[in-house]
Amino acid sequence: MALTLTTLGTASPHPGPDRPCSGYLLAGGGAEVWVDAGPGTFAALQRHTDPARLTAIWISHLHADHSADLLAAAYAFAFGGMSPHAPIPLYAPRDCAQRLAGFFGRPDVGFLKGVFDFRALHDGHDVRHWNLRLTARAVAHDTEAYGLRAECQGSVFAYSGDSGPCAALGELASRADLFLCEADIDVHREGEQVHLTPEDAGRIAREARVRELLVTHVGPTLTRAAATARAAEAAGRPTYAAVEGDTRSL
């Protein structure tokens, strides 16, 4: 068991009762990484680990349903008695620090540097924490956005973030043990390619030869069960729905 993934939240585009927005706890190789910080996920995170002991935080993009609980974390770390021993590396698109400072009405980000060590993502960004390697690829969304590939002792996890169909998703997911993929929309609107349908998710999983597909970020035009069934038919391999509180071992 080299990697575990705990689902903290899956909702899109807003949280619901007992269903936070996008957020996951990825653990392996001595590291614990909070992947995406959608509304409600900071509370859920505390069910599974002490947030002050996180190895890193990784944010796919700065839309609120993937990043807004960084504000809750900032309050907890700075004012709520959860101070980390050292600033936690926070990998995110380049404007993350300024966005957070804006919530506090502050003109600079210096006051946040005691709790977060801001590190800008870029296409091909690659970092290792202990025995956990994290690689980012730019994906097709309507803002700066990244997918994630994590490797640890032979196990591979891939995450789409929010994305429309693009070659980078197949590269990230190539032969992954687990591919966590959004299936946000029912059909593509003409000219819009910023999210995936369940069939898109399944096709990418099949072409990338992943071992298992985990469907998440199902939007309001779909049910989780229907999206998972449609993705499974296209994938032709084990396909499951991401459910809050579940932990999967790779």
Side-chain angles (χ1 to χ4, degrees):
M1 184 177 67
L3 285 169
T4 63
L5 179 78
T6 300
T7 299
L8 307 175
T10 66
S12 168
H14 60 83
D18 301 316
R19 192 178 177 194
C21 285
S22 293
Y24 312 90
L25 176 62
L26 180 65
E32 288 188 311
V33 181
W34 182 16
V35 177
D36 276 347
T41 59
F42 185 71
L45 180 68
Q46 294 169 65
R47 297 181 187 273
H48 303 281
T49 194
D50 176 358
R53 296 173 60 183
L54 287 168
T55 307
I57 301 170
W58 194 97
I59 303 297
S60 64
H61 65 293
L62 297 181
H63 284 164
D65 60 332
H66 290 255
S67 67
D69 255 21
L70 288 175
L71 180 61
Y75 269 93
F77 296 153
F79 312 120
M82 288 190 184
S83 300
H85 296 297
I88 297 173
L90 199 171
Y91 301 97
R94 59 185 177 274
D95 292 335
C96 183
Q98 288 73 21
R99 297 274 188 97
L100 276 178
F103 277 116
F104 289 91
R106 300 284 288 269
D108 63 75
V109 301
F111 74 103
L112 289 171
K113 291 183 178 179
V115 294
F116 294 133
D117 177 4
F118 293 99
R119 304 182 185 186
L121 289 173
H122 58 80
D123 188 33
H125 186 281
D126 190 85
V127 67
R128 184 181 293 273
H129 286 282
W130 302 103
N131 289 319
L132 179 63
R133 179 183 180 186
L134 306 174
T135 304
R137 287 297 312 275
V139 295
H141 201 40
D142 55 358
T143 189
E144 182 183 1
Y146 299 92
L148 172 66
R149 183 179 176 93
E151 300 172 72
C152 181
Q153 299 173 346
S155 294
V156 178
F157 163 76
Y159 172 45
S160 66
D162 277 10
S163 178
C166 63
L169 289 177
E171 295 167 9
L172 284 168
S174 180
R175 299 186 182 275
D177 295 291
L178 182 66
F179 179 35
L180 176 67
C181 189
E182 70 131 277
D184 188 77
I185 58 173
D186 186 17
V187 295
H188 287 288
R189 295 179 182 175
E190 186 175 355
E192 287 190 2
Q193 294 283 312
V194 298
H195 282 292
L196 301 173
T197 66
E199 288 76 15
D200 291 329
R203 174 186 55 78
I204 295 164
R206 184 186 72 250
E207 292 176 355
R209 299 183 181 182
V210 306
R211 181 165 60 86
E212 293 183 346
L213 172 63
L214 191 61
V215 174
T216 192
H217 200 278
V218 176
T221 63
L222 292 165
T223 67
R224 188 149 50 185
T228 303
R230 286 169 54 179
E233 184 174 0
R237 63 203 59 243
T239 300
Y240 308 97
V243 176
E244 285 71 14
D246 283 0
T247 296
R248 302 188 71 84
S249 299
L250 282 68

